[in-house]
Amino acid sequence: MTLPLARRRIWVTRPAGQADALCAALAAQGAEPVRLPLLQIAPAADAAPLQAALDALAGFDLAVFVSPSALDAVAAARTAPWPAGVPAAVVGPGSAARARALGIAPVIAPPAHFDSAGLLAELDTHGSWAGRRAVLFRGDGGRPDLPDGLRARGLDLTVVAAYRRLPATLTIQALDDALAAGCDAVIISSSEAAQHLFALAGEATREQLQSLVYFAPHPRIIAALAEHDVDARLSRAGDAGIVDSLCCHFARPTSSP
């Protein structure tokens, strides 16, 4: 039986260290995953706020993580077990799986709508948060939607930059070589990754990139890709959702006998 993604070269652009599970899931469906990280995750420029928040972690009523990178940054900086009674709130299934793998419990995650709005709606089902303390672990900068939403629910919020997002060391030559080898689809996991990809490309390379089909799990990333005039398809969230979306895209219609 031919696997759904047999002989398909799929670019996986997640940071190094965050692509293993997705690449394995793609390979299980016959694909040839090509790792082209467009971002690298670096420690926060100032480690003191992160360490202070971790030292005080048991005193918070909620810890919120924007991404697996935030979870990894906290795990790298904290050696003590996760304090009992401090739930972790995460946005998507990838973060939920990562939190559980790190021994963090309990985990609050939206059952659908894997974004800030989805997480805030899920938190609303857990009762009132007014007057309680929360810490938000995220990258440097970041959108205001989640912190604003948490404060609007009455939480006393501490925001901590746990890591930095930097352009990866991908060269234009490596990008041209990957294009020459062929590409059937590109998985983009953040708006910043889309920006770095097209910032790296020269005019000729840009035209080649515009001929590819892109998959992203959030409308915000689709909008960032649309700025570059490409064919961008919204996938389902999580590794399984992304792979399933690709399988559906490449499925061939069955001819009538």
Side-chain angles (χ1 to χ4, degrees), residues 13 27 33 43 59 64-65 78 86 88 94 96 112 142 164 168 179 190 199 211 213 223 225 238:
T13 63
V64 184
F65 297 87
R78 180 180 172 83
V86 180
R164 290 178 291 158
L179 283 165
S190 72
S211 71
V213 59
L225 288 164

Side-chain angles (χ1 to χ4, degrees), residues 104-246:
I104 296 174
V107 176
I108 299 172
H113 305 296
F114 304 118
D115 54 18
S116 296
L119 175 56
L120 292 169
E122 179 62 22
L123 286 173
D124 289 340
T125 70
H126 289 258
S128 173
W129 295 95
R132 302 172 78 179
R133 298 184 65 216
V135 57
L136 170 62
F137 297 106
R138 67 177 187 179
D140 54 339
R143 296 169 59 85
D145 312 49
L146 188 53
D148 287 353
L150 293 168
R151 291 190 177 103
R153 282 154 177 79
L155 280 159
D156 177 8
L157 183 65
T158 299
V159 179
V160 177
Y163 63 95
R164 290 178 291 158
R165 295 176 295 265
L166 302 174
T169 55
L170 180 68
T171 65
I172 186 64
Q173 185 59 57
L175 182 57
D176 286 340
D177 290 346
L179 283 165
C183 175
D184 293 292
V186 185
I187 299 170
I188 299 286
S189 299
S190 72
S191 301
E192 294 97 332
Q195 293 163 0
H196 290 316
L197 176 62
F198 285 91
L200 175 66
E203 188 58 37
T205 303
R206 176 181 295 273
E207 291 181 4
Q208 290 180 276
L209 291 173
Q210 288 173 324
S211 71
L212 304 178
V213 59
Y214 295 78
F215 289 82
H218 195 279
R220 186 170 61 248
I221 309 173
I222 295 294
L225 288 164
E227 294 177 3
H228 301 285
D229 194 25
V230 301
D231 180 2
R233 313 289 181 93
L234 183 65
S235 75
R236 287 181 277 280
D239 291 350
I242 291 171
V243 173
D244 186 57
S245 296
L246 284 161

Side-chain angles (χ1 to χ4, degrees), residues 8-130:
R8 300 290 185 183
R9 285 176 56 84
I10 311 295
W11 290 5
V12 178
T13 63
R14 288 179 178 172
Q18 296 184 11
D20 291 352
L22 178 55
C23 287
L26 290 166
Q29 297 300 324
E32 181 183 345
V34 179
R35 298 175 189 243
L36 283 179
L38 295 175
L39 293 173
Q40 57 179 323
I41 304 302
D46 181 2
L50 173 60
Q51 193 56 57
L54 294 178
D55 290 343
L57 190 57
F60 288 101
D61 300 295
L62 180 69
V64 184
F65 297 87
V66 299
S67 65
S69 296
L71 286 156
D72 289 340
V74 166
R78 180 180 172 83
T79 57
W82 188 258
V86 180
V90 300
V91 172
S95 291
R98 185 65 182 138
R100 294 184 180 103
L102 291 170
I104 296 174
V107 176
I108 299 172
H113 305 296
F114 304 118
D115 54 18
S116 296
L119 175 56
L120 292 169
E122 179 62 22
L123 286 173
D124 289 340
T125 70
H126 289 258
S128 173
W129 295 95

